Amino acid sequence: MTENATAPRPRPSEDLDAAGPLDPLDALEAPSTFDTAETFESADGPLAYRDAGPRGARPLVLLHTGFTDRTQFDVLVPELARRHRVIAPDARGHGASANGTQPFRQTDDLAALLRHLDLAGPAILVGISMGALIAVDTALEHPELVRALVVSGRGIGEPDLTDPWASAVEEAQKNALAAGDIPAWLDAFAQGVAGPSRTLADVDPEIVRHVREMALHTLMKHSPNERDLSIPVADVPERAKSEITVPVLAVNGALDAPGMLATADALIRAVPNGRTVTLDGVAHYTTMEAPEAFTRALEEFLHEL
């Protein structure tokens, strides 16, 4: 269940539980909203993004989890776009964005997009899991672009994956990849939707279907022996203590894996202006399971800025 802010290759990272095998071809033929994307021509191919809401309004940037894409926020965007300019990009190597052909950092891709859009001011970055890592990196590497951070399910440091549930998910993903068994990898990946204290039977099946579809679409963009061209940002935990001065809100699912939540807690402890809101009854995919509660916590935070 490890998650990396830059590498889109299959690895134990996000979470899901087994809701039955999924035929890869069926998933790729399922309806999606990829055709609604705008594109930004980066120095290394096009990057897809959604841009909604008044152009002169305060910018909110929604950054998705690993192996998913901007459609993770489809339920959130209509409400948020009534008052804010909402930008939801597909990270490089995910969704409809190009794969990397040269060394890259996700934070630099995001910074290039935000500068291209000529926003009304610095943005509030709202990152879920991998998106939270990108948001933190951007606050460190491009602080002039960031007004505040909202993270969910990740923060700083590597998560502890030694508990029995996380170890079992990690082992299942590794075994599936070694066998070239994509449906089994999707089943293992899907464990994070439910988290360690539930089964997928406890989760809205449409959320599970959507997460699996996004994960499969991203997985199929990559080859098994593809080089990892991503470059991590160095010394993030130590730098966060002195360099992140903007307000930070963590909106976590109470049922998420403890190792993930601990990294968000570490970020909140490291910054001078941070606090946590916990959403009961949901796990890693907070914006999909509890969009109303997540939006309420976000709007209250924005009102205080």
Side-chain angles (χ1 to χ4, degrees):
M1 235 180 52
T2 309
E3 190 153 84
N4 187 315
T6 54
R9 298 178 303 162
R11 54 193 301 184
S13 200
E14 305 268 298
D15 351 82
L16 297 199
D17 186 353
L22 175 69
D23 186 321
L25 295 179
D26 288 347
L28 287 176
E29 292 170 358
S32 72
T33 57
F34 291 142
D35 59 349
T36 66
E38 300 181 57
T39 56
F40 163 61
E41 285 296 333
S42 77
D44 189 20
L47 301 177
Y49 65 97
R50 182 175 182 179
D51 189 353
R55 291 301 182 263
R58 176 162 50 181
L60 291 181
V61 182
L62 308 182
L63 304 170
H64 60 76
T65 56
F67 286 98
T68 65
D69 58 60
R70 69 185 181 280
T71 68
Q72 178 176 7
F73 301 112
D74 279 354
V75 178
L76 256 62
V77 170
E79 177 64 22
L80 291 175
R82 293 172 56 196
R83 291 171 296 280
H84 312 285
R85 182 175 182 180
V86 181
I87 297 103
D90 284 347
R92 184 175 298 281
H94 294 68
S97 286
N99 293 352
T101 65
Q102 58 192 31
F104 71 94
R105 302 191 306 179
Q106 295 282 14
T107 181
D108 297 334
D109 282 341
L110 177 59
L113 171 62
L114 298 184
R115 292 187 176 107
H116 166 74
L117 293 174
D118 191 24
L119 303 176
I124 294 89
L125 305 186
V126 182
I128 316 300
S129 201
M130 182 189 79
L133 304 183
I134 297 172
V136 170
D137 287 351
T138 304
L140 294 173
E141 295 295 297
H142 306 281
E144 72 282 2
L145 298 176
V146 181
R147 173 67 180 88
L149 297 179
V150 179
V151 301
S152 182
R154 283 302 300 272
I156 56 175
E158 289 299 315
D160 180 1
L161 303 177
T162 59
D163 66 271
W165 179 82
S167 296
V169 171
E170 183 174 11
E171 186 69 17
Q173 287 185 307
K174 287 181 178 178
N175 291 341
L177 286 181
D181 189 341
I182 293 175
W185 182 84
L186 287 167
D187 285 345
F189 178 83
Q191 297 295 333
V193 174
S197 63
R198 300 184 297 177
T199 70
L200 284 187
D202 302 315
V203 182
D204 181 347
E206 176 56 24
I207 294 174
V208 179
R209 183 206 63 78
H210 188 186
V211 169
R212 292 173 67 125
E213 177 188 297
M214 292 186 290
L216 178 61
H217 188 278
T218 291
L219 181 68
M220 299 300 283
K221 290 167 63 72
H222 300 277
S223 59
N225 299 317
E226 183 176 325
R227 288 178 57 207
D228 180 7
L229 297 172
S230 61
I231 302 173
V233 174
D235 303 321
V236 170
E238 287 304 312
R239 292 176 60 190
K241 297 175 183 178
S242 59
E243 297 181 37
I244 296 182
T245 58
V246 297
V248 181
L249 172 68
V251 184
N252 295 322
L255 305 181
D256 201 354
M260 296 294 196
L261 297 178
T263 68
D265 292 341
L267 173 62
I268 296 304
R269 290 195 303 268
V271 300
N273 186 2
R275 71 173 188 269
T276 300
V277 172
T278 300
L279 304 182
D280 292 333
V282 300
H284 201 53
Y285 291 81
T286 47
T287 60
M288 300 180 76
E289 280 205 86
E292 296 86 357
F294 190 96
T295 298
R296 185 163 54 251
L298 173 60
E299 291 283 17
E300 290 174 359
F301 177 67
L302 297 176
H303 181 70
E304 297 172 5
L305 289 179

